[in-house]
Amino acid sequence: GIITKGGVVGTGTSNEVDVVITNRLQGSGSTVDAATTDLVTFDLGATPATYVIEANFCAFEATTPAGAGYSLFGTVRTSGAAAVLVGTPDKINNENAALVPSTADIVVSGNNVILRVTGTLGFTVNWNVVGYYVKVI
């Protein structure tokens, strides 16, 4: 999950070293009313493998104001062509009452893992998610 790049070839600057986290998932977006928004779509690639995904979602609604947080843990297997959820993702919810219908999910579509959120009727909610994955082939 971590690579380093250095020197003119790696970074474009002779005295620079960059450390890059390669197994990180990050995204943001907004929902209006009870709409669904995909914050991250991650292609699992052509190699059969299993992925464990952990993601932390944060929600904020400014007019009330109200907030919510969700921590999800899920497992996904891919044949290299199609993704399948292994079991049901575990979820920890912390929500203000105004945002109780909101939710965050780990879903699959095609050969992709999607970090998806659903808002609350009557509210515009801003979202941010940061996660990471562990992979084995």
Side-chain angles (χ1 to χ4, degrees):
I2 298 176
I3 62 169
T4 58
K5 301 183 288 185
V8 175
V9 173
T11 65
T13 304
S14 62
N15 294 322
E16 181 176 288
V17 174
D18 290 346
V19 178
V20 180
I21 300 172
T22 60
N23 63 338
R24 189 174 184 103
L25 305 169
Q26 187 168 359
S28 60
S30 295
T31 54
V32 177
D33 292 325
T36 298
T37 298
D38 295 345
L39 301 180
V40 173
T41 300
F42 175 60
D43 182 355
L44 298 177
T47 304
T50 297
Y51 292 78
V52 167
I53 298 163
E54 289 194 44
N56 293 308
F57 296 77
C58 189
F60 180 70
E61 187 282 314
T63 59
T64 303
Y70 307 90
S71 183
L72 278 79
F73 174 91
T75 304
V76 177
R77 186 187 73 247
T78 179
S79 63
V84 176
L85 276 173
V86 178
T88 302
D90 294 319
K91 185 187 304 185
I92 298 170
N93 300 341
N94 297 126
E95 304 157 316
N96 284 135
L99 295 183
V100 167
S102 293
T103 190
D105 293 299
I106 298 173
V107 298
V108 295
S109 177
N111 198 36
N112 298 307
V113 170
I114 300 170
L115 303 181
R116 178 176 287 166
V117 294
T118 303
T120 300
L121 189 62
F123 294 104
T124 297
V125 180
N126 295 321
W127 297 87
N128 201 348
V129 62
V130 175
Y132 74 95
Y133 63 88
V134 178
K135 172 183 171 182
V136 65
I137 55 174

